[in-house]
Amino acid sequence: DQQVKQNSPSLSVQEGRISILNCDYTNSMFDYFLWYKKYPAEGPTFLISISSIKDKNEDGRFTVFLNKSAKHLSLHIVPSQPGDSAVYFCAASKWTARQLTFGSGTQLTVLP
Amino acid sequence: NAGVTQTPKFRVLKTGQSMTLLCAQDMNHEYMYWYRQDPGMGLRLIHYSVGEGTTAKGEVPDGYNVSRLKKQNFLLGLESAAPSQTSVYFCASSYADRGLDGYTFGSGTRLTVV
């Protein structure tokens, strides 16, 4: 039973437009959420995070939104660039547990 | 600053063979983790360690053993490899007392069991 779900395996977006990646979770004990980016033949790298006490966190072109009542978070990338093409993993944790539970990932392709 | 280094990067094993994957980190991180990545499954935690000499089971520990004899190294062993263990394995490390943002991953080991 996957506790973190990314229901879209892939997403294609035109360069300059907005990319929206979605993630749902089932475990109400999760209180910290992260997005990781992964290029082929490399390990995942941290992108952005959000604590459950917030509903939005912004870092440059990347914004993460958290809807606790719906157990849903999303990552917005504006504007999308070809270099953003990668697999994006959503991850969640209970802060004190210090173990990340990952979603299955979404392959984002930004078309020039 | 090498970060997290995994060896080997690729390996092909026959069913029943054994091998050890090595993870080394030079950031003085207390915590270390082993994940496997399979298509459609994301990254799943195999085992982790909260300090030298300690290990604990993650989500999918069966068929694997680990050891952390030194703070900087975390070994993942397969005693009798099975085709179901064909996967990409990632090691990660983090500080114990800082944000979860601080996970650092290695570049992975692609293992094929035939």
Side-chain angles (χ1 to χ4, degrees):
Chain A
D1 180 32
Q2 284 191 296
Q3 298 185 67
V4 178
K5 298 179 183 179
Q6 295 177 256
N7 292 319
S8 297
S10 63
L11 174 68
S12 291
V13 172
Q14 212 62 39
E15 181 179 5
R17 305 293 292 269
I18 184 171
S19 295
I20 300 177
L21 294 89
N22 294 305
C23 177
D24 298 295
Y25 63 96
T26 58
N27 189 338
S28 58
M29 298 298 287
F30 290 146
D31 54 13
Y32 204 79
F33 306 89
L34 308 91
W35 284 94
Y36 278 80
K37 179 179 181 179
K38 184 184 178 306
Y39 292 115
E42 294 184 10
T45 55
F46 169 75
L47 187 59
I48 192 169
S49 63
I50 188 167
S51 162
S52 61
I53 63 173
K54 296 183 176 181
D55 55 16
K56 176 182 174 181
N57 189 26
E58 197 169 353
D59 183 2
R61 296 186 297 114
F62 303 91
T63 303
V64 56
F65 295 92
L66 175 62
N67 183 333
K68 290 184 289 294
S69 60
K71 293 190 177 66
H72 177 83
L73 65 156
S74 61
L75 174 67
H76 292 209
I77 306 174
V78 183
S80 301
Q81 299 173 353
D84 295 330
S85 296
V87 177
Y88 289 79
F89 289 100
C90 171
S93 179
K94 181 170 168 52
W95 178 263
T96 54
R98 307 202 61 78
Q99 297 160 36
L100 296 180
T101 299
F102 285 85
S104 54
T106 297
Q107 171 70 58
L108 173 65
T109 303
V110 180
L111 306 169
Chain B
N1 189 356
V4 177
T5 303
Q6 292 183 231
T7 53
K9 294 191 183 304
F10 303 94
R11 184 75 186 267
V12 178
L13 280 181
K14 293 184 178 180
T15 298
Q17 286 185 319
S18 64
M19 78 163 293
T20 300
L21 282 68
L22 171 64
C23 176
Q25 53 95 4
D26 62 0
M27 297 168 287
N28 204 33
H29 284 169
E30 291 86 2
Y31 287 21
M32 297 188 74
Y33 314 83
W34 276 107
Y35 285 87
R36 59 177 288 175
Q37 183 195 2
D38 302 293
M41 301 293 291
L43 286 84
R44 291 180 293 169
L45 182 64
I46 304 171
H47 285 281
Y48 64 100
S49 168
V50 301
E52 183 178 319
T54 71
T55 63
K57 294 180 180 180
E59 181 186 356
V60 287
D62 294 341
Y64 305 95
N65 56 76
V66 288
S67 64
R68 186 137 181 236
L69 300 180
K70 294 182 179 181
K71 185 177 184 179
Q72 64 268 34
N73 296 337
F74 195 29
L75 306 180
L76 178 70
L78 287 73
E79 290 186 347
S80 179
S84 61
Q85 294 177 305
T86 293
S87 187
V88 181
Y89 292 85
F90 289 99
C91 176
S93 66
S94 71
Y95 288 112
D97 58 352
R98 300 185 194 179
L100 288 165
D101 309 357
Y103 263 57
T104 301
F105 281 87
S107 59
T109 296
R110 183 174 293 276
L111 175 66
T112 302
V113 182
V114 298

